[in-house]
Amino acid sequence: MLTSKTKATVKKIPLLKVRAGPREKDAWGDRLKEELKAMITYVNNNKENDNDWFFITPNADGTQWSGKCWIYHEMQKYEFQFNFEIPITYPVTPFEIVLPELDGKTVKMYRGGKICLSAHFKPLWSKNVPRFGVAHALALGLAPWLAAEVPNLVDAKLILPKTEQKSAET
């Protein structure tokens, strides 16, 4: 179930129109422009609302994206690398978001660190093809997943805050 805050956030992300994936070379460029425009809007909206929670960059052809996301829980910052690859059947098939360092630490994750979005997000995605894109997946997939799973991982002492991660490395 989406909160009113999440719904308001998503409504501010532009919907996409181009129905093309990486194998439709000409149309993919147009789709990628829409994706980037939506992402810029989402990032700017987050910054305006003091809700900056990720950094992301695509490769040159827009088929692989990687970045860093973070969440605060009990006044501690938890930070994770994430990535995904755009499938050739995109946007009909959503991509799988991978948080490699959390692989095996929660049941809400598939092998390889792929977060489980099948029960809640994938049906929503399929109803909104081609209107949803990368920004929508982060807002409706990764953000709620982090909000639900990080507190459980902290309680189970499976992850450390960013400050403790650095001191454990030295």
Side-chain angles (χ1 to χ4, degrees), residues 31-113:
R31 173 69 184 209
L32 192 53
K33 286 177 190 172
E34 285 185 336
E35 293 278 5
L36 294 171
K37 182 180 177 185
M39 183 61 69
I40 291 166
T41 300
Y42 181 43
V43 167
N44 287 339
N45 289 343
N46 284 343
K47 288 183 181 190
E48 287 172 13
N49 293 310
D50 195 28
N51 189 29
D52 190 25
W53 65 276
F54 70 91
F55 171 80
I56 189 169
T57 56
N59 67 353
D61 65 2
T63 58
Q64 295 182 359
W65 298 62
S66 60
K68 203 179 275 191
C69 59
W70 54 90
I71 184 169
Y72 289 89
H73 175 66
E74 296 179 353
M75 300 185 61
Q76 296 287 328
K77 184 177 184 179
Y78 296 86
E79 190 172 282
F80 312 100
Q81 299 291 327
F82 74 98
N83 64 72
F84 53 87
E85 185 174 339
I86 301 291
I88 58 170
T89 54
Y90 183 82
V92 174
T93 305
F95 49 87
E96 297 179 304
I97 301 170
V98 180
L99 291 126
E101 62 205 277
L102 296 182
D103 186 18
K105 293 187 178 182
T106 172
V107 295
K108 302 253 174 87
M109 182 171 272
Y110 301 116
R111 187 173 297 155

Side-chain angles (χ1 to χ4, degrees), residues 160-170:
L160 297 172
K162 183 181 177 190
T163 54
E164 291 181 32
Q165 287 173 356
K166 286 183 179 180
S167 62
E169 291 171 1
T170 56

